[in-house]
Amino acid sequence: MIKVSVVGATGYTGEELVNILTRHSGVKITSLSAVIDKPTNISEVFPRFKGKLDIICKGLDVGEVIKSSDIVFLALPHTVSMQFAPEFLKRGKKVIDLSADYRLPADVYEKWYGKSHTDKENLKKAVYGLPELYREDIRRCNLLANPGCYPTSVILAIAPLIKNKAVELDSIIVDSKSGITGAGRKPSIGLLFGEVADNCKAYKIGSHQHTPEILLQLKNIANRELDILFVPHVIPIRRGILSTIYLKQKEKITQKKIDEIYRDFYKDEYFVRFFGGETMPELKDVIYTNFCDIGAKLTKDIIVVVSAIDNLTKGAAGQAVQNMNIMCGFDESEGLIYL
Amino acid sequence: MIKVSVVGATGYTGEELVNILTRHSGVKITSLSAVIDKPTNISEVFPRFKGKLDIICKGLDVGEVIKSSDIVFLALPHTVSMQFAPEFLKRGKKVIDLSADYRLPADVYEKWYGKSHTDKENLKKAVYGLPELYREDIRRCNLLANPGCYPTSVILAIAPLIKNKAVELDSIIVDSKSGITGAGRKPSIGLLFGEVADNCKAYKIGSHQHTPEILLQLKNIANRELDILFVPHVIPIRRGILSTIYLKQKEKITQKKIDEIYRDFYKDEYFVRFFGGETMPELKDVIYTNFCDIGAKLTKDIIVVVSAIDNLTKGAAGQAVQNMNIMCGFDESEGLIYL
Amino acid sequence: MIKVSVVGATGYTGEELVNILTRHSGVKITSLSAVIDKPTNISEVFPRFKGKLDIICKGLDVGEVIKSSDIVFLALPHTVSMQFAPEFLKRGKKVIDLSADYRLPADVYEKWYGKSHTDKENLKKAVYGLPELYREDIRRCNLLANPGCYPTSVILAIAPLIKNKAVELDSIIVDSKSGITGAGRKPSIGLLFGEVADNCKAYKIGSHQHTPEILLQLKNIANRELDILFVPHVIPIRRGILSTIYLKQKEKITQKKIDEIYRDFYKDEYFVRFFGGETMPELKDVIYTNFCDIGAKLTKDIIVVVSAIDNLTKGAAGQAVQNMNIMCGFDESEGLIYL
Amino acid sequence: MIKVSVVGATGYTGEELVNILTRHSGVKITSLSAVIDKPTNISEVFPRFKGKLDIICKGLDVGEVIKSSDIVFLALPHTVSMQFAPEFLKRGKKVIDLSADYRLPADVYEKWYGKSHTDKENLKKAVYGLPELYREDIRRCNLLANPGCYPTSVILAIAPLIKNKAVELDSIIVDSKSGITGAGRKPSIGLLFGEVADNCKAYKIGSHQHTPEILLQLKNIANRELDILFVPHVIPIRRGILSTIYLKQKEKITQKKIDEIYRDFYKDEYFVRFFGGETMPELKDVIYTNFCDIGAKLTKDIIVVVSAIDNLTKGAAGQAVQNMNIMCGFDESEGLIYL
């Protein structure tokens, strides 16, 4: 049994991570920590775990986590992960970081997150944890940067078209609709039921911090510069991201060719399901699952791609466990086929 | 034009109050105040008011409010209203308080709200603002204690049966289902969309602070002691309270007699609509209105009464304006027929 | 008092129309009709009208409607309106049609709605009822084609930029998010709460029947050919459309210039509110109102325009009454300022 | 591998049943049938099954089901199950019926469901499938009557108090709040998102068809006559039932004694979790699970019991699989621990 710890267990991502790990046949949760008033059984913090998991969640004790774990999941806010990751790595632990701290070059990080990067050493070795693109690197890494929710939904959606040079690279428009748990579990007027229900809004138009992460990964795939306009929206649901992406075809393409590109690109991927151009994916079919569903429809010269994921599963905790499975040699879907 | 001020304009109740007052043909809003970072136009705080209301909301300046107002609405948290009401009253203003500060005898207040009452003088003169019961007192009062949302939904629902001695008084059970705006607009984990959506729960069983307010008013109607069990629930909606109330018939009664009791009791009331025993009221027909809809069905020896109100309108701001209309001699429904 | 009839009173649009008309100081509702099992008081169909409106809704009797009305509102499905409008017009009634039957040239209509147009005579005289564009024509018309909900949200959003030749006309992308009442009140699996809640999807990508209506109106403004890609989505709310529109600037433009264009274009319009480029409109500020809120933000060379309306109000019944107000010489906002 | 068929696979219960069965390590789904336009892959009916289950759903062919199955699940409307069950039983199949057809004596059934019972023979042998009460009978049965959703939430909630003679039996009041999927997946105005969202209502007060089922089971436990008043409500959620139950203590009881009664009654039950009197269960902790969470709080002389289940899981499909596990000798929670 692999021993795992979750640091930051009381957020929405932490909760989902703990939930998935309790179902995993090859791991044992050995410690849970969080910023918390006093040590509390996780089944009191989240009564859903009553009878399923009996473990105290308390303030982080780095030494104890080191002693008791093989793998450390960091489900922490941005800028906090990089304070703790170095010590865990130094002591030989594998670290899976769900924050943005190890996803970007230091200069880009500092520009978008407004903080200096304090662990440039490890940053260089971190692997970006999108299994469909970097499975072999993931297998060998010790520090895994788990992708953001929006980037997962966008990169998986259009990687095949970009890889196949089927689309123009300077006019990609991404219109994403997200559930509110993506904003975290923190007391804030903007996240209240009274503000979010019966509402819909765009926010951070062209300036969302996930923009550089999307750009960086797409550039790697394209092997050249490109540009996107990313416009996120909040819709009144708890979980899920539906991204609608508008791309201009490069040369005349057919729906048949588009279908082939996607089917070929994802032919060995269990967690990506391609729907073709007629039926478009809906959030109801992916929430509480680790699937990314994709449809792509040609309309005159614009290809409209729609992708659907659960932001807490494939967009965070589920993908983190998928990565752990690869890093530890488990079956890649272990613990992840549950709904 | 009557000049009105709203103190506490940035909560859900304050927002609704401002909204209703902007539609009122006989008043002019002269000042808005709240705990707020810096003076801000109310149409920036709530963009819905853009083009409809152009007034700065700022920290409370008692002197300025006194100078500019005939009537002061206090949409403040409990225990805060009684700090400011005395000064406004002393200076001859009429005060309509939407908090619980002037609804209960001092000793009861102190027991349920955990604070000493600091304005017992004015407390004695305050009138409980349920127009259907106390219209004449309201007409003459200077300090109006606007009822709580749950009490409004419960008292209106069963006053006719109690007044007519039709039911047992020692076994009244109230099961209320409320939208979340009743809990206010404050940053709190429990009020997040992520916690409230797809959820339903009971809370404060038998210990909710609105219990003594309901008891006091029912006793006044019954003219003797009685007891209730009040169990509130939160359901995933923004606005509305549906109360289902279980009463034991005293002597053999008929549905026809029940219908007569209600029809007679509310025959001159515009804002109370009685549905009989076949069709039960639904929240969708009262939200965004000042109506209280009531159904009452006899089943063997239990009478099941269902009432529906909008917690922010008839349960707070709408009723406050209805009271102001009575206090100032306006038509009682002025500003209140809008949806 | 103007006498008005509503044909098709039991749909969501009909309900909202009746609701607005009951508040209107200058009209009297003289008949309500619908496909209905048996004549039923409208306050039984919609209990929200109890105590506010006491009128029987029954199957359409054309003669009776003609006898009792000055104005006839047709809140009917597409292809049904044109069966009845000719008779009403022949008998000198003013007709306000909320269906698509009089919005498009016959050939375009037949292509997109799959039916022959059976009233080409009157079609030629119909005026498209977007007051912000055609107020003078509306004032004189007898047959008004009330705009679709999506077209209203899109045309108002970008008319200023197109009129001012500020944007490219061959690459306009419209990503709309709509509440479900836009699909009507009919028994259908796809409209069930169980299918719509916790869900979001794109539908009819590039093939929605509102596309030619948007195109036609934009061409009129541009005075030349253009093209759009219209992609509607359903989000889990009852009311509201948020449209996010992506336009390429034609020549180098500034945010300041964009702001001027919008402020100038809508300077005399009460029901259109421009928010600039910093704050974007949210649905919560327009639902249950007749406002169209618009924001427009320049990002590199793409202008992102966001508009928010209530699909049943400014997108249907509210706009229909606004048009009636113009046609009858009422104040344009009579009956329409209510929330 | 046990071979199982699902008859009625396209409703909400059928969908959930198929979902759970795909996760079950000991069964193989061999046929799916439903009233359906034409044979269709289940992954087209419900895209969530794409990549997980590849089987055609078609109109029922009794002979084929008999040939291919060991166990037949009937997820059919009431009165339809009893048309097909006899043939399956005659051919030696085990039948798990999720309708009400085998839950009640024929005369009671006919009174509440308005139809004659056409299979009284098998009705006598049917076992009521509440494992916490009838595990041993279930183990040996061939025809299992799977309990209704409301009855499951009520019987489990109060069986311990009734068994222990702790409460009066003539004044039990049950106030249940249910998600809308309990009403099935059928085209009906009352089930539309536009009618259910932002709404809450009571319905079938004292006359819901689940009343006799609850009564019958409680009488069996009490071993004498008793009475309940059952009042169901619809709240705007997809899944879940929260039942709040009011019982009068028989003799003076303490919270401690109540806790003991529940802890003892459910000490060996994995799927029932008792919360005591302080924390009450919430729907969010049970939806998508097979758990029934219970809290019981003493307030003066009334014991308030709150239970929470997922109506599609413990209230239908999950419990059906739990019963199959018992009938077939699988671990009782096989396939059922997934969220």
Side-chain angles (χ1 to χ4, degrees):
Chain A
M1 288 300 244
I2 301 277
K3 290 172 291 173
V4 301
S5 291
V6 176
V7 183
T10 60
Y12 287 125
T13 299
E15 177 191 6
E16 191 63 22
L17 193 49
V18 172
N19 187 34
I20 297 172
L21 291 170
T22 59
R23 277 193 311 266
H24 196 291
S25 66
V27 307
K28 183 177 159 55
I29 300 176
T30 50
S31 93
L32 299 178
S33 49
V35 176
I36 193 165
D37 287 345
K38 58 177 201 305
T40 309
N41 197 304
I42 194 71
S43 74
E44 280 177 55
V45 180
F46 299 117
R48 66 188 293 198
F49 294 128
K50 216 173 135 69
K52 299 171 76 177
L53 186 63
D54 182 22
I55 187 168
I56 302 298
C57 179
K58 54 187 178 182
L60 175 59
D61 176 333
V62 172
E64 200 182 300
V65 171
I66 287 170
K67 220 179 315 174
S68 66
S69 326
D70 302 312
I71 293 194
V72 181
F73 288 93
L74 302 178
L76 294 169
H78 311 317
T79 77
V80 181
S81 280
M82 63 186 169
Q83 296 169 36
F84 299 109
E87 183 69 11
F88 292 124
L89 290 163
K90 209 168 79 187
R91 302 293 297 268
K93 308 300 159 190
K94 284 178 190 279
V95 172
I96 296 176
D97 177 32
L98 287 86
S99 87
D101 285 1
Y102 295 95
R103 297 178 196 155
L104 297 170
D107 57 333
V108 180
Y109 179 87
E110 291 172 19
K111 184 179 156 206
W112 286 84
Y113 288 86
K115 303 275 172 152
S116 291
H117 204 291
T118 58
D119 183 26
K120 292 176 188 163
E121 189 91 1
N122 288 307
L123 179 54
K124 287 179 222 150
K125 307 172 199 155
V127 168
Y128 189 72
L130 204 52
E132 290 77 8
L133 295 182
Y134 302 113
R135 188 168 283 112
E136 289 316 306
D137 296 327
I138 294 166
R139 208 180 299 280
R140 289 184 301 264
C141 83
N142 290 315
L143 171 55
L144 185 126
N146 205 59
C149 51
Y150 284 124
T152 297
S153 89
V154 177
I155 299 163
L156 291 178
I158 61 175
L161 294 177
I162 290 179
K163 186 75 182 174
N164 282 275
K165 302 185 192 309
V167 290
E168 297 289 348
L169 297 180
D170 58 354
S171 59
I172 301 172
I173 291 172
V174 178
D175 187 297
S176 292
K177 298 91 180 158
S178 176
I180 198 68
T181 52
R185 189 166 177 261
K186 54 187 182 240
S188 156
I189 292 284
L191 305 181
L192 298 185
F193 187 90
E195 308 291 305
V196 174
D198 299 339
N199 197 13
C200 175
K201 64 172 176 179
Y203 70 106
K204 295 189 185 172
I205 295 179
S207 63
H208 191 281
Q209 68 277 9
H210 281 170
T211 307
E213 184 180 336
I214 298 171
L215 267 180
L216 174 64
Q217 296 302 324
L218 295 183
K219 275 188 226 169
N220 284 351
I221 298 165
N223 214 0
R224 47 153 291 201
E225 286 300 304
L226 50 69
D227 203 10
I228 64 158
L229 172 58
F230 173 50
V231 181
H233 298 72
V234 173
I235 58 174
I237 53 170
R238 293 184 70 252
R239 300 168 72 128
I241 293 177
L242 192 93
S243 289
T244 312
I245 308 171
Y246 303 91
L247 306 114
K248 201 169 289 180
Q249 64 180 8
K250 203 161 173 184
E251 286 163 29
K252 206 83 200 141
I253 197 168
T254 60
Q255 182 68 45
K256 187 156 166 286
K257 177 67 186 163
I258 292 170
D259 293 355
E260 278 170 23
I261 286 174
Y262 276 91
R263 296 231 157 83
D264 184 59
F265 196 92
Y266 288 125
K267 66 175 180 295
D268 297 325
E269 296 298 336
Y270 181 72
F271 285 121
V272 179
R273 301 188 291 198
F274 181 66
F275 280 60
E278 283 316 304
T279 313
M280 286 294 124
E282 306 188 17
L283 282 187
K284 72 177 168 60
D285 297 314
V286 299
I287 52 171
Y288 295 96
T289 82
N290 199 51
F291 286 99
C292 175
D293 284 358
I294 301 172
K297 184 179 174 67
L298 179 64
T299 65
K300 292 181 197 161
D301 60 340
I302 305 281
I303 305 171
V304 182
V305 182
V306 177
S307 74
I309 62 165
D310 182 313
N311 58 304
L312 295 180
T313 316
K314 184 64 176 170
Q319 187 146 267
V321 173
Q322 188 181 357
N323 283 314
M324 179 196 74
N325 287 341
I326 297 170
M327 291 161 75
C328 298
F330 293 118
D331 184 289
E332 193 167 322
S333 64
E334 173 57 37
L336 291 169
I337 304 175
Y338 54 111
L339 205 72
Chain B
M1 289 298 247
I2 302 277
K3 292 172 290 175
V4 302
S5 290
V6 176
V7 183
T10 58
Y12 286 124
T13 298
E15 177 190 6
E16 191 62 23
L17 193 50
V18 171
N19 188 35
I20 296 173
L21 291 169
T22 60
R23 277 193 310 265
H24 196 291
S25 68
V27 307
K28 184 177 158 55
I29 300 175
T30 51
S31 93
L32 298 178
S33 49
V35 176
I36 193 166
D37 287 344
K38 57 175 203 305
T40 310
N41 198 304
I42 193 70
S43 73
E44 280 178 56
V45 181
F46 299 117
R48 63 187 295 196
F49 294 129
K50 216 173 135 70
K52 299 171 76 177
L53 185 64
D54 182 22
I55 187 167
I56 302 297
C57 178
K58 54 186 178 184
L60 174 59
D61 176 333
V62 172
E64 200 183 298
V65 171
I66 287 171
K67 220 180 313 170
S68 68
S69 325
D70 302 313
I71 292 193
V72 181
F73 287 94
L74 302 178
L76 295 169
H78 311 318
T79 77
V80 181
S81 280
M82 62 185 172
Q83 297 170 34
F84 298 111
E87 184 69 11
F88 293 125
L89 289 164
K90 207 167 80 185
R91 301 292 297 268
K93 308 301 160 190
K94 285 179 191 278
V95 172
I96 296 176
D97 177 31
L98 287 86
S99 87
D101 285 1
Y102 294 96
R103 296 178 196 156
L104 296 171
D107 56 334
V108 180
Y109 180 86
E110 291 172 19
K111 183 179 154 205
W112 286 83
Y113 288 87
K115 302 275 173 153
S116 292
H117 203 290
T118 59
D119 184 26
K120 292 175 187 163
E121 189 91 2
N122 288 308
L123 178 55
K124 288 179 222 149
K125 307 174 199 154
V127 168
Y128 189 71
L130 203 52
E132 289 77 7
L133 295 182
Y134 303 113
R135 189 169 282 110
E136 289 316 305
D137 297 327
I138 294 166
R139 209 181 298 281
R140 288 184 301 264
C141 82
N142 289 316
L143 172 55
L144 186 125
N146 206 59
C149 50
Y150 284 124
T152 297
S153 90
V154 177
I155 299 163
L156 291 177
I158 60 174
L161 294 177
I162 289 179
K163 185 76 182 173
N164 283 275
K165 302 184 194 307
V167 290
E168 297 289 349
L169 297 180
D170 57 354
S171 58
I172 301 172
I173 291 172
V174 178
D175 186 297
S176 292
K177 297 91 181 158
S178 175
I180 196 71
T181 54
R185 189 167 176 262
K186 53 186 182 243
S188 157
I189 292 283
L191 306 180
L192 298 185
F193 186 90
E195 308 292 305
V196 174
D198 300 338
N199 196 12
C200 175
K201 64 171 177 181
Y203 70 106
K204 294 188 186 174
I205 294 179
S207 63
H208 190 282
Q209 68 277 9
H210 280 172
T211 306
E213 184 180 336
I214 298 171
L215 266 180
L216 175 65
Q217 295 302 324
L218 293 183
K219 276 188 226 169
N220 284 351
I221 297 165
N223 214 0
R224 50 153 287 202
E225 286 300 304
L226 50 69
D227 203 11
I228 63 159
L229 171 59
F230 173 51
V231 181
H233 299 73
V234 173
I235 57 174
I237 54 171
R238 293 185 69 253
R239 299 168 73 128
I241 292 177
L242 192 93
S243 289
T244 312
I245 308 172
Y246 303 91
L247 306 113
K248 201 170 289 180
Q249 64 180 6
K250 203 161 172 182
E251 287 162 27
K252 205 82 201 139
I253 199 170
T254 60
Q255 181 69 43
K256 186 156 167 286
K257 178 65 185 164
I258 292 170
D259 292 357
E260 276 171 23
I261 286 174
Y262 276 92
R263 295 232 157 81
D264 184 60
F265 196 93
Y266 289 125
K267 66 175 181 294
D268 297 325
E269 295 300 335
Y270 180 72
F271 286 121
V272 179
R273 301 187 291 199
F274 182 65
F275 281 58
E278 283 316 303
T279 313
M280 286 294 123
E282 305 188 17
L283 282 187
K284 72 179 168 59
D285 297 313
V286 300
I287 52 171
Y288 295 96
T289 83
N290 200 49
F291 287 99
C292 175
D293 285 358
I294 300 172
K297 183 179 175 67
L298 179 65
T299 65
K300 293 182 197 159
D301 59 341
I302 305 280
I303 305 171
V304 182
V305 183
V306 178
S307 74
I309 63 166
D310 182 312
N311 59 305
L312 294 179
T313 317
K314 184 63 176 171
Q319 187 147 268
V321 172
Q322 188 181 356
N323 282 314
M324 180 195 74
N325 286 340
I326 297 170
M327 291 162 74
C328 297
F330 293 118
D331 184 289
E332 194 167 320
S333 64
E334 174 58 35
L336 291 169
I337 304 174
Y338 55 110
L339 204 71
Chain C
M1 289 299 247
I2 303 277
K3 290 171 292 173
V4 302
S5 290
V6 176
V7 183
T10 58
Y12 287 124
T13 298
E15 176 191 7
E16 191 63 22
L17 194 49
V18 172
N19 188 35
I20 296 173
L21 292 169
T22 59
R23 278 191 312 265
H24 196 290
S25 67
V27 308
K28 183 176 158 55
I29 300 175
T30 51
S31 94
L32 299 179
S33 49
V35 176
I36 193 165
D37 288 344
K38 59 175 201 301
T40 310
N41 197 304
I42 193 71
S43 73
E44 279 178 56
V45 181
F46 299 117
R48 65 188 294 197
F49 293 129
K50 216 172 134 71
K52 299 171 77 176
L53 186 64
D54 181 22
I55 188 167
I56 302 297
C57 179
K58 55 186 179 183
L60 175 58
D61 175 334
V62 171
E64 199 183 299
V65 170
I66 286 170
K67 221 180 312 173
S68 68
S69 326
D70 303 312
I71 293 192
V72 181
F73 287 94
L74 302 178
L76 295 169
H78 311 316
T79 77
V80 182
S81 280
M82 63 185 170
Q83 297 171 33
F84 299 110
E87 184 69 11
F88 293 124
L89 289 164
K90 209 168 78 186
R91 301 293 295 268
K93 308 300 159 190
K94 285 179 191 277
V95 172
I96 297 177
D97 176 32
L98 286 87
S99 85
D101 285 1
Y102 295 96
R103 297 178 194 154
L104 296 170
D107 57 334
V108 180
Y109 179 87
E110 292 172 17
K111 183 180 154 205
W112 286 84
Y113 289 86
K115 303 274 171 152
S116 292
H117 204 290
T118 59
D119 183 26
K120 292 177 187 162
E121 190 92 3
N122 288 307
L123 178 56
K124 288 179 218 147
K125 307 172 200 154
V127 168
Y128 190 71
L130 203 53
E132 290 77 8
L133 295 182
Y134 302 114
R135 189 169 284 111
E136 289 317 306
D137 297 327
I138 294 167
R139 207 180 300 280
R140 289 183 301 263
C141 82
N142 290 316
L143 172 55
L144 186 126
N146 206 58
C149 51
Y150 283 124
T152 297
S153 90
V154 176
I155 299 163
L156 290 178
I158 62 175
L161 294 177
I162 290 178
K163 185 77 183 174
N164 281 276
K165 302 185 194 309
V167 290
E168 297 290 349
L169 297 180
D170 58 353
S171 59
I172 300 173
I173 291 171
V174 178
D175 186 297
S176 292
K177 296 92 181 159
S178 175
I180 196 71
T181 54
R185 188 167 178 263
K186 56 186 180 243
S188 156
I189 292 283
L191 305 180
L192 299 185
F193 187 90
E195 306 293 305
V196 174
D198 301 339
N199 196 12
C200 175
K201 64 172 177 179
Y203 69 107
K204 293 187 185 174
I205 294 179
S207 63
H208 191 281
Q209 69 277 10
H210 281 171
T211 307
E213 184 180 336
I214 299 171
L215 266 180
L216 175 64
Q217 296 302 325
L218 294 183
K219 277 188 224 169
N220 285 351
I221 297 165
N223 215 359
R224 45 152 291 202
E225 287 301 305
L226 49 69
D227 203 10
I228 63 158
L229 171 59
F230 172 51
V231 181
H233 298 73
V234 173
I235 57 174
I237 53 171
R238 292 185 69 251
R239 300 167 71 128
I241 292 176
L242 192 94
S243 289
T244 312
I245 308 170
Y246 303 90
L247 306 114
K248 202 169 289 180
Q249 65 180 4
K250 203 164 174 180
E251 286 163 29
K252 205 83 200 141
I253 199 169
T254 61
Q255 182 68 46
K256 186 155 166 287
K257 178 65 186 164
I258 292 170
D259 292 355
E260 278 171 23
I261 286 174
Y262 276 92
R263 295 232 157 81
D264 184 60
F265 196 93
Y266 288 124
K267 66 177 181 294
D268 298 325
E269 295 300 335
Y270 180 71
F271 286 121
V272 179
R273 302 188 291 199
F274 181 64
F275 280 60
E278 284 314 304
T279 313
M280 286 294 123
E282 305 188 16
L283 283 187
K284 73 178 167 60
D285 297 313
V286 301
I287 52 172
Y288 295 97
T289 83
N290 199 50
F291 287 99
C292 176
D293 285 358
I294 301 171
K297 183 179 175 67
L298 179 64
T299 64
K300 294 182 196 161
D301 60 341
I302 306 280
I303 306 172
V304 182
V305 182
V306 178
S307 75
I309 63 166
D310 182 313
N311 58 305
L312 294 180
T313 317
K314 184 63 177 170
Q319 188 146 267
V321 173
Q322 187 181 358
N323 282 316
M324 179 196 74
N325 286 340
I326 297 170
M327 291 161 75
C328 299
F330 293 118
D331 183 288
E332 194 168 322
S333 64
E334 174 56 36
L336 291 169
I337 305 175
Y338 55 110
L339 204 73
Chain D
M1 288 301 245
I2 302 278
K3 292 172 287 172
V4 302
S5 290
V6 176
V7 183
T10 59
Y12 287 125
T13 298
E15 177 191 6
E16 192 63 22
L17 193 50
V18 172
N19 188 34
I20 296 172
L21 291 169
T22 59
R23 278 192 310 265
H24 196 291
S25 66
V27 308
K28 183 176 159 53
I29 300 176
T30 51
S31 93
L32 298 179
S33 50
V35 175
I36 193 165
D37 287 344
K38 60 175 198 308
T40 310
N41 197 303
I42 193 71
S43 72
E44 279 178 56
V45 181
F46 300 117
R48 63 187 297 197
F49 294 127
K50 216 173 133 72
K52 298 171 77 175
L53 185 64
D54 181 23
I55 187 166
I56 302 297
C57 179
K58 54 185 179 184
L60 175 58
D61 176 333
V62 171
E64 198 184 301
V65 170
I66 287 171
K67 221 181 312 173
S68 67
S69 326
D70 302 311
I71 293 194
V72 181
F73 288 93
L74 302 178
L76 295 169
H78 310 317
T79 77
V80 181
S81 281
M82 62 187 171
Q83 297 170 33
F84 299 111
E87 183 69 10
F88 293 124
L89 288 165
K90 207 168 80 187
R91 303 292 296 269
K93 308 299 158 189
K94 285 178 191 277
V95 172
I96 295 176
D97 176 30
L98 288 84
S99 86
D101 285 1
Y102 295 96
R103 297 179 195 154
L104 297 170
D107 57 333
V108 180
Y109 179 86
E110 291 172 19
K111 183 178 156 207
W112 286 84
Y113 288 87
K115 302 275 172 151
S116 292
H117 203 291
T118 58
D119 184 25
K120 291 175 188 164
E121 188 91 2
N122 288 308
L123 179 55
K124 287 179 222 150
K125 307 174 199 153
V127 169
Y128 190 71
L130 204 51
E132 290 77 9
L133 295 183
Y134 302 113
R135 189 169 284 112
E136 290 315 306
D137 297 327
I138 294 166
R139 208 180 298 282
R140 288 184 301 263
C141 81
N142 290 315
L143 172 55
L144 186 126
N146 206 57
C149 50
Y150 284 124
T152 298
S153 90
V154 177
I155 299 163
L156 291 178
I158 61 176
L161 294 176
I162 289 179
K163 185 76 183 174
N164 282 275
K165 303 185 191 307
V167 290
E168 298 288 349
L169 296 180
D170 58 353
S171 59
I172 300 172
I173 291 171
V174 178
D175 186 298
S176 292
K177 297 91 181 159
S178 176
I180 196 70
T181 52
R185 188 166 177 262
K186 55 187 181 239
S188 157
I189 292 284
L191 305 181
L192 298 185
F193 187 91
E195 308 292 305
V196 174
D198 299 339
N199 196 13
C200 176
K201 64 172 177 179
Y203 70 106
K204 294 189 185 171
I205 294 180
S207 62
H208 191 282
Q209 69 278 8
H210 280 171
T211 307
E213 184 181 337
I214 298 172
L215 267 180
L216 174 64
Q217 296 303 324
L218 294 183
K219 276 188 226 170
N220 284 351
I221 298 166
N223 213 1
R224 47 154 288 201
E225 286 301 304
L226 50 69
D227 203 10
I228 64 158
L229 171 59
F230 173 50
V231 181
H233 298 74
V234 173
I235 57 174
I237 53 171
R238 294 184 69 252
R239 299 168 71 126
I241 292 178
L242 192 93
S243 289
T244 313
I245 308 171
Y246 302 92
L247 306 115
K248 202 170 290 180
Q249 64 181 8
K250 204 161 173 184
E251 286 163 30
K252 206 84 200 139
I253 198 169
T254 60
Q255 182 68 45
K256 187 155 165 287
K257 178 66 186 164
I258 292 170
D259 292 357
E260 277 170 23
I261 286 173
Y262 277 91
R263 296 231 157 83
D264 185 59
F265 196 93
Y266 288 124
K267 65 177 182 294
D268 297 325
E269 295 299 335
Y270 181 72
F271 285 121
V272 179
R273 300 187 292 197
F274 181 64
F275 280 59
E278 283 316 302
T279 313
M280 285 295 123
E282 306 188 16
L283 283 186
K284 71 178 169 60
D285 297 314
V286 300
I287 51 172
Y288 295 96
T289 82
N290 200 50
F291 287 100
C292 175
D293 285 357
I294 301 172
K297 184 180 174 66
L298 178 65
T299 66
K300 292 181 197 161
D301 60 340
I302 305 281
I303 305 172
V304 182
V305 182
V306 178
S307 74
I309 62 165
D310 182 312
N311 58 306
L312 294 180
T313 317
K314 184 64 178 169
Q319 188 146 267
V321 173
Q322 187 180 357
N323 283 315
M324 179 195 75
N325 287 339
I326 297 170
M327 291 161 75
C328 298
F330 293 119
D331 184 288
E332 194 168 322
S333 63
E334 174 57 36
L336 292 169
I337 304 175
Y338 53 113
L339 204 72

